[in-house]
Amino acid sequence: MSSIVNRRSVRSYTSEKVKPNDITKILTAASWAPSGNNLQPWKFSVVMNDEDLTQKLSSLTIYHHWVQTAPCLIAVFLDTKTVDTKIQGIYLKHIQAIGAAIQNMLLAAHEMGLGTCWIGEILKNEHKMKKLLGVSNDFELMAVISVGYPSKDTIKSKRRDISENILSWL
Ligand SMILES: Cc1cc2nc3c(=O)[nH]c(=O)nc-3n(C[C@H](O)[C@H](O)[C@H](O)COP(=O)(O)O)c2cc1C
């Protein structure tokens, strides 16, 4: 429970490089997420050794000022080739699995002392992202995750009291 409660989105990073082995651990954590029929519908593109590309990708979001400082960006895709995305209910199921995988990534990174932020705002530029990354239309962009060592105390976001979230408890 402690990782879940203490993880916060990190939007400010030191210049310290992230170890490729730590990124592998984060991707391994993603792969252990549950998914419908264990189809594991996720794919990833990692950018950590190309400053020019990081710059170009960052420019696709209004959050470019801090995204461009992240030592690593991980684009998360839904593999529409191996899963059926035409039926709405099934599509939702795969999207939910991707969400579970991303949360695993954030928690694994947090446990390694790394900070992350789940960036959804960049989705409006999916086509430009895929072109820059050389990713085909068989893959649908779900999010970009920035990863790096936190440079300052993160904003302490709050949560509603859980009693406000319970519709019924019969
Ligand atoms: C689907 C999704 C999209 C998000 N997109 C962005 C984003 O584009 N930019 C950003 O700064 N944070 C983004 N976030 C992070 C949320 O703002 C953050 O999780 C929320 O404010 C709670 O803060 P915490 O993560 O520190 O607990 C996103 C989170 C989710 C789950």
Side-chain angles (χ1 to χ4, degrees), residues 7-11 61 63 66 106 116-123 142-143 154-159:
R7 178 215 58 83
R8 295 276 70 79
S9 294
V10 170
R11 301 179 178 89
T61 166
Y63 302 114
W66 57 264
L106 307 191
T116 56
C117 190
W118 180 330
I119 304 158
E121 197 275 336
I122 205 163
L123 293 178
M142 296 283 111
T154 47
I155 300 159
K156 300 276 177 279
S157 62
K158 296 190 174 126
R159 295 297 186 266

Side-chain angles (χ1 to χ4, degrees), residues 23-122:
I23 297 301
T24 304
K25 285 182 189 163
I26 289 170
L27 299 182
T28 304
S31 75
W32 281 103
S35 61
N37 300 105
N38 198 18
L39 282 174
Q40 306 166 59
W42 39 71
K43 293 282 184 239
F44 308 95
S45 275
V46 179
V47 179
M48 60 189 307
N49 296 311
D50 189 333
E51 274 182 34
D52 183 49
L53 182 56
T54 300
Q55 205 72 23
K56 285 181 179 146
L57 294 173
S58 307
S59 74
L60 301 178
T61 166
I62 56 168
Y63 302 114
H64 55 88
H65 54 285
W66 57 264
V67 174
Q68 68 191 1
T69 69
C72 178
L73 296 175
I74 305 175
V76 183
F77 295 94
L78 170 68
D79 183 351
T80 62
K81 220 170 22 144
T82 55
V83 296
D84 188 349
T85 54
K86 285 174 204 75
I87 303 165
Q88 175 70 357
I90 295 179
Y91 182 61
L92 285 179
K93 189 173 77 171
H94 297 313
I95 303 258
Q96 288 164 10
I98 300 274
I102 295 175
Q103 176 70 347
N104 274 9
M105 294 166 74
L106 307 191
L107 293 176
H110 175 75
E111 285 181 9
M112 290 186 275
L114 288 162
T116 56
C117 190
W118 180 330
I119 304 158
E121 197 275 336
I122 205 163

Side-chain angles (χ1 to χ4, degrees), residues 98-147:
I98 300 274
I102 295 175
Q103 176 70 347
N104 274 9
M105 294 166 74
L106 307 191
L107 293 176
H110 175 75
E111 285 181 9
M112 290 186 275
L114 288 162
T116 56
C117 190
W118 180 330
I119 304 158
E121 197 275 336
I122 205 163
L123 293 178
K124 64 184 183 197
N125 281 317
E126 175 181 10
H127 294 295
K128 288 180 184 162
M129 281 270 325
K130 288 200 287 201
K131 205 167 172 202
L132 283 168
L133 292 169
V135 168
S136 83
N137 282 331
D138 286 333
F139 304 95
E140 186 178 341
L141 182 65
M142 296 283 111
V144 172
I145 311 302
S146 53
V147 188

